[in-house]
Amino acid sequence: MQVLLIPVTPFQQNCSLLIDEATGRAAVCDPGGDLDRIEAQLKKQDVTLEKILLTHGHLDHCAGAAELARRHGVPIEGPHVEERFWLDQLAEQTQRFGFGHATPFEPDRWLDDGDTVRFGNETLEVRHCPGHTPGHVIFFSPSARLALVGDVLFAGSIGRTDFPRGDHAALLRSIRTRLWPLGDDVTFVPGHGPVSTFGQERRTNPFVGDHIESPA
Ligand SMILES: [Zn+2]
Ligand SMILES: [Zn+2]
């Protein structure tokens, strides 16, 4: 599986283009906006879009999803159903942050912990990682040793939890019980900023590294 990062929106969100080289089929994770850039990459790579994946309902991750899905006639999978209250606010949020008009939508499939999603010959595992938002999910490719973690974890930082229904303790629990077990060698793409590995963050992350005492 090949992964290309396409920074989108004024928030420089890492939209990911996932390509199954064997079939030329692709999935796009978190198309927050700047669809012209995403379309240009699809064309340049000469791949067929099969599916749109969403980690969570924040506008910089999903505001372009409905329009991209409509253009290509493809389904939207994710996030977890607990994220509905964020998707319901999308029109208001996009207006507030000057993102232009976003079509309200409901995904074709809500995801839950332990689900799998497929495109081409690739299979990604789903983990429910609440904390930043209650219905946040991440996508993991066991064969590529790669995870798309949205705003759960960043290189040297963790997701904000000062939003409605944000939960700091839940976020730390999600990272420790749903991300770390995937393996220290796993490379992750965060929603913003550079990629890192789980092992690197366990050693050095000032918010959730192994040196931090966690209350039992
Ligand atoms: Zn977010
Ligand atoms: Zn974000």
Side-chain angles (χ1 to χ4, degrees):
M1 187 176 77
Q2 192 192 348
V3 182
L4 292 165
L5 300 189
I6 310 167
V8 296
T9 82
F11 298 162
Q12 291 291 292
Q13 196 274 120
N14 287 324
C15 171
S16 302
L17 173 59
L18 311 175
I19 299 171
D20 172 30
E21 292 116 315
T23 60
R25 315 269 308 171
V28 166
C29 182
D30 286 359
D34 293 326
L35 295 188
D36 48 337
R37 270 189 235 166
I38 298 170
E39 299 278 17
Q41 272 302 331
L42 287 167
K43 198 168 223 168
K44 188 174 168 199
Q45 304 300 325
D46 194 23
V47 291
T48 304
L49 183 62
E50 182 175 323
K51 195 166 280 185
I52 293 169
L53 305 174
L54 298 179
T55 60
H56 67 298
H58 280 162
L59 75 169
D60 51 324
H61 296 256
C62 69
E67 174 60 16
L68 190 64
R70 188 191 64 78
R71 286 187 199 171
H72 291 264
V74 298
I76 300 172
E77 300 193 359
H80 184 281
V81 70
E82 287 290 324
E83 209 68 358
R84 193 199 298 265
F85 85 108
W86 274 117
L87 292 179
D88 287 346
Q89 297 177 51
L90 198 57
E92 178 195 321
Q93 293 279 329
T94 49
Q95 205 163 38
R96 184 168 153 212
F97 289 96
F99 272 52
H101 177 73
T103 319
F105 68 96
E106 174 144 331
D108 297 274
R109 181 186 172 202
W110 296 109
L111 297 174
D112 206 346
D113 194 64
D115 282 348
T116 57
V117 295
R118 301 185 56 97
F119 71 95
N121 293 334
E122 296 286 347
T123 301
L124 304 176
E125 296 179 4
V126 176
R127 298 285 185 275
H128 181 206
C129 292
H132 174 67
T133 62
H136 201 303
V137 298
I138 67 100
F139 301 98
F140 172 58
S141 166
S143 56
R145 308 303 294 155
L146 182 95
L148 308 175
V149 305
D151 291 348
V152 172
L153 178 71
F154 303 104
S157 189
I158 57 173
R160 286 172 59 179
T161 52
D162 57 335
F163 299 111
R165 300 189 59 196
D167 185 333
H168 183 74
L171 180 68
L172 296 182
R173 202 158 51 237
S174 289
I175 295 169
R176 290 185 174 126
T177 65
R178 301 251 158 99
L179 297 189
W180 290 171
L182 301 177
D184 283 359
D185 63 312
V186 172
T187 297
F188 69 93
V189 177
H192 309 265
V195 304
S196 179
T197 65
F198 291 152
Q200 171 71 15
E201 298 312 309
R202 291 188 72 159
R203 282 190 299 277
T204 63
N205 191 296
F207 300 94
V208 70
D210 290 347
H211 61 288
I212 303 208
E213 290 287 321
S214 63

